[in-house]
Amino acid sequence: MKSSQGESRALALFGFPALLAPVLSLLVLPSTTEGEVCKFTSSAVEKDEGQGIKTWVYTEPYRESLFEDGLWEDDAAYKTYTSWLNKTIPRDFHGLDPFDQRACLVHQREIFKNVGYSTYNWDIILNGTVGGLYQMNCIESLLWGVQNKYHPQKVSATEFGAYILVNAQKTTVKVYLQTGPTLGVPGMDWVTTPIKEDIQKGFDVITFLHLHPFDASNTKYQDCAGTCIPSDPDLAAFASDLAQFNAKAAWITNGAVAFRFPLTQLQRFHHDVSDTTRPEIYRGEQSAEQRSPVYTTEM
């Protein structure tokens, strides 16, 4: 799927609301645009941080295809993963279609609602009050592929985090990627100095992207996740990115779909600073005493 041509399409993908074109009815298939190939053309500077964590810095020539929705690195590893996902999630989670993001959001919303959590943040995504749902784009696909190579998503649910920058002339894209073996992205303090130096050189922090994977192991509580809704810790991190780097947007992908919203809309989410306990996946951790009051909106 494409927005308008040229600059408008690229800017839309950077999270500017006037140019967003959300995918409201998702048919999640990779693009077959003739002549377009989803790949990095430059090698990353890679560093092993230990304990399964790696950092990667890409400096890539800018091209619009990196931000094209539906243009994926549709390689053998991805085909193997999607085949597994299409079999496992419907079988173990009451027929849920993992490639229907709205269905996944509604499924998870009901789980959290039934144990006393607010559904407000699910509601404002589902009713279009904030951001939009899109097919995963090329750069999201490539970074998912790096995570999956070192931490296969079939084996366990793990996450990556990445800051994506573009310079004012739109000639260069920089990516600061961190992959790892945990559900959640450990602190990325290592990016602070180089990103601030890049900003001084005329780069904008377009977004912080991270992965919300499916967790097929959580059959007890029936929350397979794979939902692109920010958790309470995510919202706190996005506020920090806005304050520290003047980041333009936040993107969350599940490996097929992305939720993207401009950080000018951050305050539309309910985020009580006295309650940062809502997790990304429900596993029965929270007691009734720890739960926040329930706020709901009409669907």
Side-chain angles (χ1 to χ4, degrees):
M1 176 177 177
K2 298 180 182 179
S3 306
S4 59
Q5 294 181 348
E7 195 73 9
S8 293
R9 180 179 67 182
L11 285 172
L13 296 169
F14 294 162
F16 293 91
L19 298 171
L20 292 177
V23 176
L24 299 179
S25 177
L26 290 167
L27 176 61
V28 183
L29 297 170
S31 171
T32 56
T33 305
E34 187 175 351
E36 296 281 9
V37 178
C38 181
K39 66 177 183 179
F40 285 125
T41 60
S42 305
S43 298
V45 177
E46 175 187 347
K47 185 177 180 182
D48 191 333
E49 302 287 351
Q51 298 184 317
I53 297 173
K54 289 179 178 287
T55 63
W56 316 73
V57 180
Y58 292 87
T59 303
E60 186 76 6
Y62 175 87
R63 56 198 182 278
E64 289 183 7
S65 61
L66 285 172
F67 301 99
E68 182 173 335
D69 292 343
L71 181 62
W72 300 348
E73 185 185 33
D74 191 32
D75 59 5
Y78 190 71
K79 288 183 172 69
T80 298
Y81 165 73
T82 54
S83 176
W84 167 82
L85 195 67
N86 266 322
K87 177 182 178 181
T88 304
I89 298 302
R91 182 192 67 200
D92 296 343
F93 294 87
H94 300 292
L96 184 65
D97 180 355
F99 294 99
D100 184 341
Q101 178 61 191
R102 293 184 64 85
C104 291
L105 285 164
V106 169
H107 174 84
Q108 187 184 60
R109 176 189 185 273
E110 292 307 298
I111 292 170
F112 276 85
K113 177 183 177 181
N114 288 339
V115 293
Y117 282 91
S118 166
T119 65
Y120 180 83
N121 289 347
W122 282 272
D123 295 343
I124 62 172
I125 293 174
L126 287 164
N127 67 25
T129 299
V130 61
L133 297 171
Y134 302 82
Q135 291 189 12
M136 179 172 64
N137 66 27
C138 174
I139 202 164
E140 291 165 336
S141 170
L142 291 169
L143 299 177
W144 183 94
V146 178
Q147 175 72 15
N148 186 61
K149 178 179 179 179
Y150 291 93
H151 307 284
Q153 297 294 294
K154 286 175 55 179
V155 176
S156 61
T158 60
E159 298 186 21
F160 71 83
Y163 287 91
I164 302 173
L165 290 70
V166 175
N167 67 342
Q169 297 78 22
K170 291 189 170 54
T171 59
T172 306
V173 177
K174 293 196 75 171
V175 179
Y176 294 88
L177 168 67
Q178 181 172 294
T179 60
T182 58
L183 185 66
V185 181
M188 294 179 63
D189 292 344
W190 62 276
V191 307
T192 302
T193 297
I195 286 180
K196 287 185 175 179
E197 290 174 352
D198 288 336
I199 291 170
Q200 290 296 315
K201 296 174 184 175
F203 280 83
D204 285 322
V205 178
I206 298 304
T207 191
F208 177 72
L209 163 71
H210 72 291
L211 174 64
H212 275 194
F214 285 92
D215 184 358
S217 72
N218 193 30
T219 54
K220 179 178 180 180
Y221 294 101
Q222 280 294 295
D223 184 4
C224 60
T227 49
C228 299
I229 176 176
S231 65
D232 283 345
D234 290 343
L235 293 170
F238 298 158
S240 176
D241 291 338
L242 179 61
Q244 186 171 209
F245 301 133
N246 193 29
K248 306 303 181 189
W251 297 356
I252 303 172
T253 186
N254 68 358
V257 172
F259 171 65
R260 308 186 195 123
F261 73 99
L263 288 180
T264 54
Q265 296 181 353
L266 182 60
Q267 296 306 314
R268 296 186 187 182
F269 286 99
H270 172 71
H271 181 217
D272 186 341
V273 294
S274 66
D275 173 42
T276 57
T277 60
R278 184 179 69 76
E280 181 179 327
I281 303 175
Y282 182 69
R283 293 194 176 91
E285 301 93 339
Q286 303 299 317
S287 68
E289 292 77 13
Q290 291 174 300
R291 295 177 192 142
S292 59
V294 175
Y295 299 88
T296 59
T297 58
E298 294 299 323
M299 293 294 292

